[in-house]
Amino acid sequence: MDYKSSLIQDGNPMENLEKQLICPICLEMFTKPVVILPCQHNLCRKCANDIFQASNPYWTSRGSSVSMSGGRFRCPTCRHEVIMDRHGVYGLQRNLLVENIIDIYKQECSSRPLQKGSHPMCKEHEDEKINIYCLTCEMPTCSMCKVFGVHKACEVAPLQSVFQGQKTELNNCISMLVAGNDRVQTIITQLEESRRVTKENSHQVKEELSQKFDTLYVILDEKKSELLQRITQEQEEKLSFIEALIQQYQEQLDKSTKLVETAIQSLDEPGGATFLLISPSLSLCLPHSIVEASKGCQLGKTEQGFENMDCFTLDLEYIADALRAIDFGTDEEEEEFIEEDQEEEESTEGKEEGKKFIYLHCFIPSLIPQQEMPTMCKVLC
């Protein structure tokens, strides 16, 4: 209904119908056979084949004995991608309705008389039709202009031959432009795919990197808890030892204080008889208490440096340097770094064992025999 109403509303329905029957490639009326694309647009089979060959230069011809999969091209009207089978454009369905309309239109045009002014007329010679083309001036003109007019000395050619030549050249240009657009579209599609893959790979690498650093955080937290636990354990052992010494000395002090108080009370007795009754017990207790008091100073002491916790000092500078040096590299560089780290660990392992041995000797002498100390000193030296 829309198509019919548009023809009726137009002042010249035949001209409007002719516009509907123009091929978008050759810009002429469709030449049979007419093929219909999947997007419902129509093309001359020859024009469709020209576009198809330009978009698929390596596709074998229909008469070739070598079978090959079909190619693809884009509709010049809507840019819809048309995928062909192995038959190429010969596999497209013919639009018999359009072909019948073309036949009826041509019959109608041939039966109608030519209207005045339907053919361009020469401006210099109003009664002469433009029927030749001046190659020198590159403009259409009439025969009178060639014989008597301004184009007398110019080179001319038949209008129809020049018309067909320029139409062919224009068709070739359109085909090359369409093929170029298809190639550009292919490149755009490839770049879009490359962009998508790049985003996916970047996201994957980021996830892996985050997981590795999370693992490092867990290891550091576990090691921190372990070392703090060792310090706490050492602290508790030393404090327990000190508390035990304080309790022993406090008990000795309490006994001595009570004895002093008893002796002072005896001195305050005014009667000799009472004093002499008490003095035998005091004379027996005082010498023993004095001896015990003198021995109390030898109950036990902390050695010099007992309060220090220097053995728990960590030198993490090389680890900090290694963390700062973390960077993206090849597997070979990572293997070299691991080998160097192992060598450093082996060289420092003996020193650490020696430090532990000295610490044990200083603070827990009962665990290390005295005869093993010179040998250990030689090892450390």
Side-chain angles (χ1 to χ4, degrees):
M1 292 297 294
D2 295 338
Y3 176 73
K4 184 177 180 180
S5 61
S6 64
L7 292 178
I8 295 174
Q9 292 174 3
D10 196 291
N12 193 341
M14 293 301 291
E15 290 184 1
N16 190 50
L17 178 61
E18 183 179 359
K19 293 178 182 179
Q20 301 297 325
L21 300 177
I22 296 298
C23 175
I25 301 299
C26 61
L27 302 179
E28 296 182 0
M29 186 174 294
F30 288 117
T31 302
K32 296 191 294 184
V34 180
V35 295
I36 183 170
L37 304 180
C39 57
Q40 302 303 312
H41 290 111
N42 299 290
L43 293 175
C44 306
R45 180 185 287 175
K46 178 181 180 303
C47 297
N49 188 60
D50 292 341
I51 298 177
F52 179 71
Q53 293 292 341
S55 302
N56 304 271
Y58 299 107
W59 192 81
T60 55
S61 61
R62 189 186 182 203
S64 176
S65 60
V66 180
S67 62
M68 186 176 182
S69 60
R72 61 187 65 194
F73 69 94
R74 294 187 178 274
C75 173
T77 302
C78 65
R79 305 301 301 160
H80 177 76
E81 187 176 41
V82 181
I83 300 175
M84 312 298 297
D85 59 12
R86 61 187 182 87
H87 299 291
V89 296
Y90 294 93
L92 293 173
Q93 184 178 2
R94 291 179 60 178
N95 194 335
L96 299 179
L97 176 61
V98 173
E99 293 180 3
N100 293 334
I101 294 175
I102 292 172
D103 293 338
I104 296 173
Y105 175 81
K106 288 182 177 180
Q107 290 176 4
E108 180 68 20
C109 290
S110 62
S111 62
R112 296 176 61 186
L114 292 175
Q115 298 180 1
K116 186 178 180 179
S118 60
H119 191 88
M121 308 300 288
C122 180
K123 293 181 180 180
E124 297 294 333
H125 309 89
E126 296 181 357
D127 295 333
E128 294 291 331
K129 297 180 180 180
I130 294 177
N131 55 4
I132 60 174
Y133 186 84
C134 179
L135 299 176
T136 305
C137 301
E138 296 183 349
M139 62 179 297
T141 185
C142 69
S143 301
M144 295 300 293
C145 289
K146 170 58 180 172
V147 177
F148 304 106
V150 294
H151 300 287
K152 183 177 181 180
C154 297
E155 182 181 359
V156 297
L159 186 66
Q160 191 66 23
S161 63
V162 176
F163 166 73
Q164 293 296 336
Q166 291 189 2
K167 281 277 184 111
T168 302
E169 183 179 355
L170 181 59
N171 288 334
N172 294 335
C173 292
I174 292 174
S175 299
M176 288 188 291
L177 287 174
V178 172
N181 291 341
D182 289 340
R183 287 192 290 270
V184 171
Q185 184 63 42
T186 301
I187 294 173
I188 292 174
T189 303
Q190 293 175 351
L191 291 176
E192 290 176 348
E193 178 66 17
S194 178
R195 179 180 59 186
R196 183 189 65 80
V197 174
T198 300
K199 287 183 178 180
E200 291 180 356
N201 292 339
S202 300
H203 179 72
Q204 180 180 357
V205 171
K206 287 180 180 179
E207 289 292 332
E208 293 177 355
L209 183 63
S210 299
Q211 292 177 0
K212 291 181 179 179
F213 271 88
D214 291 340
T215 303
L216 288 178
Y217 299 151
V218 172
I219 294 174
L220 289 174
D221 288 338
E222 291 178 353
K223 180 56 68 174
K224 176 183 176 181
S225 301
E226 178 187 347
L227 296 179
L228 289 175
Q229 181 64 29
R230 288 171 58 185
I231 294 174
T232 302
Q233 182 179 357
E234 182 68 18
Q235 173 188 346
E236 292 176 354
E237 292 178 357
K238 288 188 175 184
L239 291 179
S240 299
F241 180 71
I242 293 174
E243 291 292 340
L245 290 180
I246 291 174
Q247 184 177 0
Q248 294 178 10
Y249 280 101
Q250 187 65 45
E251 292 176 356
Q252 182 66 32
L253 179 61
D254 292 342
K255 292 180 181 180
S256 178
T257 301
K258 290 180 181 180
L259 184 60
V260 170
E261 291 176 355
T262 303
I264 292 173
Q265 291 177 1
S266 299
L267 291 176
D268 292 337
E269 290 293 333
T274 304
F275 177 79
L276 292 175
L277 289 173
I278 299 172
S279 61
S281 60
L282 291 176
S283 61
L284 294 175
C285 295
L286 282 176
H288 178 71
S289 299
I290 293 172
V291 172
E292 291 293 333
S294 62
K295 291 182 179 179
C297 297
Q298 301 177 358
L299 287 176
K301 295 181 181 179
T302 57
E303 298 184 7
Q304 185 178 2
F306 181 81
E307 303 86 355
N308 293 336
M309 304 291 283
D310 296 339
C311 60
F312 295 103
T313 302
L314 290 179
D315 183 10
L316 301 178
E317 186 62 28
Y318 72 98
I319 296 180
D321 293 339
L323 291 175
R324 282 190 287 267
I326 292 178
D327 199 355
F328 300 107
T330 60
D331 296 337
E332 295 180 357
E333 294 177 353
E334 294 180 357
E335 291 178 358
E336 292 179 358
F337 178 79
I338 293 174
E339 291 178 357
E340 293 177 357
D341 188 46
Q342 291 177 349
E343 292 178 357
E344 292 180 358
E345 290 180 356
E346 292 175 357
S347 62
T348 57
E349 185 177 3
K351 295 180 180 180
E352 293 294 334
E353 293 295 332
K355 291 180 181 179
K356 294 178 181 179
F357 187 86
I358 291 176
Y359 169 74
L360 293 173
H361 179 71
C362 293
F363 298 107
I364 312 176
S366 60
L367 297 180
I368 303 175
Q370 287 290 336
Q371 59 270 21
E372 294 184 7
M373 191 61 189
T375 305
M376 180 55 68
C377 292
K378 291 181 180 180
V379 172
L380 294 176
C381 294

